[in-house]
Amino acid sequence: MSQTPSEVQAADAAVLARTALPFSLLAYWPALLTGLGAALLSSVLALARQAQQVSSEQALVNHELSAIRTRLEAVAQATFSPTVGLEAMIQLDGGISNDRFEALNRRVVNLLPQVRSIVTAPDDIARYVYPLAGNEAVLNLRYRDIPVQYAQVQAARANGESLLVGPVKLVQGGLGLIQRTPVFLPIQDASGTKRHVYWGVISVVADKDEFVQAAGLAPHPSWRLAVFQLQIDRKTLGAPVWGDPGLAALPTAVQQSVQLPGATWSIAAVPHTPLSWRSKVYNVEFAASLLVSLALSALVALLVYRRRMLLAQNQILAQQIAQGLRTQAELEAAQSRFRSLTDLSADWVWEQDEHFRLSFTSRSTEASTQVGSPQLLGLKRWESPALAPGTDWSAHIAAVEQHQSFRSFEYAQYAEDGSLRHVSISGAAVFDAAGRFKGYRGTGRNITAGKLAEADLRESKAALTLALDRLQAVLNAAQEFAIVATDQQGRINLFNRGAEQMLGYAEAEMLGQSPHCFHLADEIAARAAELSRLYGRTISGFEVFEEPARRNGSDTRVWTYVRRDGSHLEVSLTISMVLTQSGEVSGFLGLARDISAQRRAQRELAGLNAELESRVAHRTAELTLALSTLSRAQDELLRSEKMAALGSLVAGIAHELNTPLGNCLTTASTLDDLTQQMRANFEAGQLRRSAFEAYLTDAQTASSIMLRSMASANELVAHFKQISVDQTSAQRRRFGLQSVVGDVLSLLRSQLRKAGIEVTVEVSLTPAQQLDSFPGPLGQVLTNLILNASLHAFDGRLAAARISIQAEAVDDSHFTLIVADNGSGMKAEVRRRAFDPFFTTKMGAGGTGLGLNIVYNIVTGILGGQIELHSEWGAGSRFVMRLPFVAP
């Protein structure tokens, strides 16, 4: 194993010390004095050599770190450059589509393997992810649910600029570096004030290991490297990004700051051989020279020391030359990789010498600017013949003459085809190991598209302002309608003149207020309770207006407005969503029309209908009493019972028909009066547009009322015709059980409503499970059971009265039909005799004692089934029938 010069010198000193003979200090005081002087001189020279070695190593590390720092900055600029294009596109269009997002990022991700994903998150939700394969866990990720990442997003939003963080544990696995770029959209509110509204965040995720590999930070053969984040003071090292974190505590570590998009890092480096070890060697050398000085004369010690110093310097020089050759080869390889990367990047790289003349430009320069490199090389940038006038170069020239770094300096130049190209450059001064200025190195970017986009944006803003002025004029012209617009938080930002006239408020005092101020609090509370039950969650505040519109697109209902003077207006209010170009909800628009007069007319019409219904009910009761007197004998009683049931149906039909027919009569007479009045005004030449529009509205309302009433009457007649034919003819046919149940309930609707009884139906038979039986007798069974429950089960109990009808298949040939009520139930003696003829608990009070007997005879006879009664006093009654799908 070869020895270092220090080791050789220490070994020689040890040999000399072992061969030295004992001597008397007094006799050899000149030699001792010479030895002490030589030892002192050896220590001074050792310290000087140590300082020289440290300075040389630090200069070499600085030189190496400059190349690594330049490459790291270039790789970071290329890696996180997609955010610039995405941000400009979103600000220009107000959003971005998935197709444009993928098209913009596909080439970037393919060219830069260290880019793991690019994520665009409007409203801090990851809506667009490229590439999606391998990053499925990121799609639709809510940053608010991840405190660490959301804190990063909030920090970038608060600063209004990009933020680079890392290393970060990624949702899709592994460690990465993430650049967060907040996006703000410029808007102009109603008062004309321009402001920026937060839209979302763009995140570029780079794999930490791939990024380190691309930046050339792989383990170095000669140096120990580490990358740290810099604190706010730009001096103190922060959290480690990569490498050995112990380098932060070494005082001999060489550091250089790295300016990246969204962060400032620091690269620290020390030689693999610690300086502390060399210090120990120097201490041993000093001790050895001290021992040698005690035995040798000053001349011998000086010659030996000088000889070995020369040997050590020669060896160090040889090592430095070899290391320099290796460093030069690595630097050339790094430059080759760096230039190939810059050729693929959207930016280009340039260099200037110490006289500020351009000495190098990457191949992508000509493609981006369409200005040939031969026209620029050898010239100062401000001396280029392709420069366009209008750029003030004085401040830039003064800055570079002082060797200051600069970022995003913009100027314009003409391309070879005569078109104008806008360029943005950034650069930093380059110094050699001795600190001498060697020129500038930096990057450039073609920003022509951004400049053109800014011009287009200004034109679009002007056009938008003109369109808004025209829209305001249209809204003010619509004075018959109250138009009120709000933002998503329910603050009014539009209040037209129609709203001012309707409510008595001025637009200036309503802007920024909530619509609650002109609504009845009781109406809002009632609507909130209704929506809470409907949607299964608590609805309150402005949600009462916005939630139905969000779910249905728009919502129309009648509200009561409270005018400024305290008077009330009934209005038909339609609330719709206002959407942005990307389909996001930006607010809500309310359109209100005064319908107070129409509502008064409807209430008067409802009162007239109630009076007519009372008269019909009185006449129906007289008819029912007359029909009940026809019962004479058992056979006649059985027949009369059927006729009584049919009479009940007739009474119900008469009652149900009276309402729609009365509505038609009243509406027709009212429409006739309005038509005669309109004709009189027309013939007298006094017809006004507003009166004619009011007449058309009333005519349309009357037509709608008559059409609905006639449709209801037609449906009732159809049900009555079907059930009357079935019950009078008792013919056999195929039918669905649901249709028979519906026919019976439609004809008993009036009686059930008067009695306050609710009927629920649960028929679980499929459409294919039809009955081949007698619908008339089956309908009579249902009618008798429902009327029997109405007469007996709810005597004195009108609250929460309920009858349920349930049907389900038992097997392929039978099904069960259950009619149950929650009434008073039956005592044991009543339950035993319930199906006996002429047994009733209401004798003389409307009961004949034949209703359940007829039910029993029909179920067990013509229908071929079985019936069971389950009842307890106070627990209601259940009639369970087991019937065949095909009657015998």
Side-chain angles (χ1 to χ4, degrees), residues 169-377:
K169 186 175 183 181
L170 302 177
V171 175
Q172 60 269 45
L175 296 177
L177 305 174
I178 304 178
Q179 185 200 46
R180 312 280 192 189
T181 301
V183 180
F184 297 88
L185 299 182
I187 64 170
Q188 183 174 5
D189 55 22
S191 62
T193 302
K194 294 183 178 178
R195 57 193 180 92
H196 289 77
V197 175
Y198 178 68
W199 178 86
V201 66
I202 302 172
S203 301
V204 177
V205 182
D207 187 88
K208 190 191 80 170
D209 295 333
E210 293 280 350
F211 181 85
V212 168
Q213 189 68 26
L217 295 178
H220 199 279
S222 303
W223 317 108
R224 293 167 54 197
L225 299 175
V227 181
F228 300 86
Q229 297 181 6
L230 279 183
Q231 301 289 1
I232 299 178
D233 58 1
R234 304 286 181 170
K235 297 179 180 179
T236 306
L237 296 181
V241 178
W242 172 86
D244 184 2
L247 268 63
L250 294 179
T252 57
V254 178
Q255 301 177 15
Q256 288 191 13
S257 62
V258 183
Q259 189 66 38
L260 304 178
T264 301
W265 291 353
S266 178
I267 303 179
V270 296
H272 278 307
T273 303
L275 295 179
S276 59
W277 181 86
R278 290 190 173 89
S279 298
K280 294 178 181 178
V281 174
Y282 297 146
N283 292 333
V284 174
E285 182 179 354
F286 172 75
S289 65
L290 182 61
L291 292 176
V292 172
S293 299
L294 295 175
L296 299 176
S297 65
L299 182 59
V300 174
L302 180 60
L303 292 176
V304 172
Y305 174 77
R306 187 62 181 170
R307 170 179 168 275
R308 293 183 176 174
M309 277 290 294
L310 291 175
L311 292 176
Q313 288 179 355
N314 291 336
Q315 186 173 2
I316 292 174
L317 182 59
Q319 291 177 352
Q320 290 179 347
I321 292 174
Q323 180 64 34
L325 293 176
R326 289 195 299 268
T327 302
Q328 182 177 3
E330 293 175 354
L331 181 59
E332 290 176 353
Q335 288 178 347
S336 177
R337 291 194 299 269
F338 173 70
R339 292 186 178 183
S340 63
L341 179 63
T342 55
D343 290 339
L344 297 176
S345 174
D347 296 349
W348 66 85
V349 179
W350 53 266
E351 292 181 351
Q352 289 176 318
D353 59 16
E354 61 272 18
H355 302 293
F356 311 117
R357 291 188 296 263
L358 286 170
S359 58
F360 168 76
T361 58
S362 60
R363 286 199 299 266
S364 59
T365 306
E366 298 183 4
S368 299
T369 62
Q370 294 187 1
V371 177
S373 297
Q375 299 183 37
L376 302 176
L377 297 179

Side-chain angles (χ1 to χ4, degrees), residues 387-719:
L387 286 179
T391 302
D392 185 5
W393 289 88
S394 57
H396 175 73
I397 295 173
V400 298
E401 288 178 348
Q402 296 178 8
H403 304 163
Q404 298 177 359
S405 299
F406 59 90
R407 291 185 62 83
S408 301
F409 177 75
E410 299 179 3
Y411 63 93
Q413 61 184 8
Y414 293 105
E416 294 177 353
D417 60 0
S419 59
L420 191 64
R421 293 289 187 273
H422 294 273
V423 175
S424 173
I425 59 172
S426 299
V430 179
F431 299 89
D432 61 11
R436 292 187 296 272
F437 175 69
K438 302 300 292 182
Y440 269 89
R441 181 183 298 120
T443 60
R445 175 180 299 173
N446 188 343
I447 60 172
T448 304
K451 290 292 186 179
L452 296 177
E454 290 178 1
D456 293 341
L457 181 60
R458 288 192 295 270
E459 295 178 0
S460 299
K461 288 182 177 180
L464 179 60
T465 302
L466 180 60
L468 290 175
D469 294 339
R470 293 177 178 175
L471 176 60
Q472 186 65 42
V474 173
L475 294 176
N476 291 335
Q479 299 186 13
E480 297 180 0
F481 296 90
I483 302 176
V484 179
T486 68
D487 57 17
Q488 295 192 64
Q489 287 72 39
R491 296 185 294 267
I492 296 175
N493 52 31
L494 174 63
F495 198 80
N496 77 329
R497 292 180 182 175
E500 291 180 339
Q501 295 178 1
M502 182 179 292
L503 294 171
Y505 293 100
E507 179 185 11
E509 60 183 321
M510 294 305 296
L511 293 179
Q513 300 294 323
S514 171
H516 287 71
C517 63
F518 50 80
H519 278 269
L520 288 177
D522 294 342
E523 277 190 354
I524 294 178
R527 180 61 172 166
E530 176 186 354
L531 294 177
S532 298
R533 291 192 300 270
L534 179 62
Y535 298 145
R537 68 178 184 87
T538 303
I539 301 297
S540 61
F542 187 66
E543 288 184 311
V544 173
F545 302 103
E546 68 163 322
E547 191 62 23
R550 283 184 182 272
R551 292 175 179 262
N552 306 318
S554 65
D555 179 62
T556 302
R557 63 182 291 108
V558 176
W559 291 89
T560 302
Y561 274 0
V562 181
R563 304 182 77 252
R564 185 168 189 171
D565 57 7
S567 59
H568 292 180
L569 291 176
E570 289 183 286
V571 298
S572 175
L573 175 61
T574 300
I575 301 177
S576 305
M577 294 186 297
V578 179
L579 304 178
T580 63
Q581 291 181 353
S582 60
E584 300 293 334
V585 178
S586 62
F588 298 89
L589 179 68
L591 180 65
R593 179 173 59 89
D594 186 1
I595 59 171
S596 300
Q598 177 183 345
R599 298 283 288 180
R600 285 195 298 270
Q602 289 177 350
R603 286 191 288 271
E604 293 174 358
L605 183 60
L608 181 59
N609 288 338
E611 182 181 354
L612 293 175
E613 185 175 353
S614 176
R615 293 178 183 178
V616 172
H618 178 68
R619 293 173 184 173
T620 303
E622 293 178 353
L623 180 59
T624 303
L625 181 60
L627 291 175
S628 66
T629 60
L630 298 177
S631 137
R632 294 290 183 268
Q634 183 175 1
D635 293 339
E636 289 295 320
L637 287 173
L638 291 174
R639 186 177 62 83
S640 65
E641 183 68 18
K642 295 181 181 180
M643 296 303 295
L646 185 59
S648 178
L649 295 179
V650 172
I653 286 296
H655 171 74
E656 292 294 326
L657 285 175
N658 184 73
T659 299
L661 293 178
N663 289 342
C664 290
L665 179 60
T666 303
T667 303
S669 62
T670 303
L671 183 59
D672 182 68
D673 293 339
L674 292 174
T675 302
Q676 291 181 4
Q677 182 180 355
M678 185 60 59
R679 178 174 291 277
N681 292 338
F682 176 78
E683 292 175 353
Q686 299 178 355
L687 182 61
R688 301 178 59 187
R689 178 183 178 89
S690 58
F692 183 70
E693 290 180 348
Y695 168 75
L696 291 178
T697 301
D698 294 337
Q700 185 177 3
T701 302
S703 299
S704 299
I705 293 173
M706 288 190 289
L707 287 174
R708 288 195 301 269
S709 300
M710 294 305 293
S712 178
N714 183 60
E715 181 183 2
L716 288 171
V717 170
H719 285 302

